[in-house]
Amino acid sequence: GKDHLETLESQYILAQVFLQQERYKEAEQAHNQALRRRIKVLGSHHPHTFESMTGLAWALLYQKRYGPALDLSQKALVGREKLLGKDHPDYFRSVYLQARLYHLKKEYSQADPLYRKACSGLERVIGVEHAETKKAYADYQDMKEVQG
């Protein structure tokens, strides 16, 4: 049924596929639906609910809707910190998303410490060779180059 855990996961995966296909409006709609269902079934403080918040924030980021994306990503960051702690990979993924959003808003003084925290944390918990760690470092370097 529509509230079964596997159905909820499938909705999230579909939304992520839309993101990868650069179908951002569809990704936003699918993530919104997945988030609403996950809140209803799992509650607002479940790791999968925070995962959906983050996915929706990315969909908004790619549409240059930084304000709403920042609000959602902040909720996910706070929730993940409380639920998972500051040494969990998802916590650092949320920190990275915040850094990326501030970077794109050209709020470099906000982005810089977040990038540093995300990069060092991701390196420590998933490794320096992991694609996500490399991407965080590359985005941080891009921001530094833009700043001069």
Side-chain angles (χ1 to χ4, degrees):
K2 66 181 179 180
D3 290 342
H4 192 279
L5 294 180
E6 289 181 18
T7 304
L8 298 175
E9 183 65 15
S10 294
Q11 288 176 327
Y12 173 78
I13 291 169
L14 176 62
Q16 288 297 98
V17 169
F18 287 145
L19 270 183
Q20 291 170 356
Q21 294 175 337
E22 299 179 5
R23 295 163 62 183
Y24 301 128
K25 191 65 182 165
E26 290 167 285
E28 177 189 355
Q29 292 167 348
H31 272 303
N32 241 325
Q33 182 180 20
L35 177 59
R36 284 194 312 272
R37 303 289 327 150
R38 281 179 162 178
I39 289 171
K40 179 182 182 240
V41 175
L42 303 172
S44 59
H45 293 93
H46 189 279
H48 292 275
T49 303
F50 296 130
E51 178 182 60
S52 286
M53 284 180 192
T54 301
L56 179 54
W58 279 107
L60 295 169
L61 174 149
Y62 288 123
Q63 296 175 75
K64 297 180 174 34
R65 292 170 55 201
Y66 303 134
L70 201 52
D71 291 343
L72 266 176
S73 67
Q74 181 64 32
K75 287 178 188 174
L77 174 64
V78 169
R80 284 175 160 174
E81 180 180 346
K82 287 179 183 174
L83 187 66
L84 306 172
K86 289 185 175 183
D87 283 328
H88 194 280
D90 285 344
Y91 169 75
F92 292 112
R93 289 179 180 112
S94 288
V95 173
Y96 164 68
L97 175 55
Q98 289 271 289
R100 189 78 182 124
L101 282 160
Y102 282 117
H103 172 177
L104 294 171
K105 289 179 68 176
K106 298 181 178 15
E107 294 180 24
Y108 304 127
S109 64
Q110 295 282 341
D112 190 88
L114 292 169
Y115 268 132
R116 283 188 275 115
K117 184 177 193 175
C119 290
S120 65
L122 288 169
E123 182 176 336
R124 187 168 37 82
V125 299
I126 62 175
V128 68
E129 293 301 318
H130 195 284
E132 289 178 83
T133 307
K134 288 180 177 183
K135 176 72 173 137
Y137 274 115
D139 288 342
Y140 184 37
Q141 185 61 39
D142 287 346
M143 185 188 78
K144 298 302 267 178
E145 288 173 8
V146 167
Q147 286 181 284

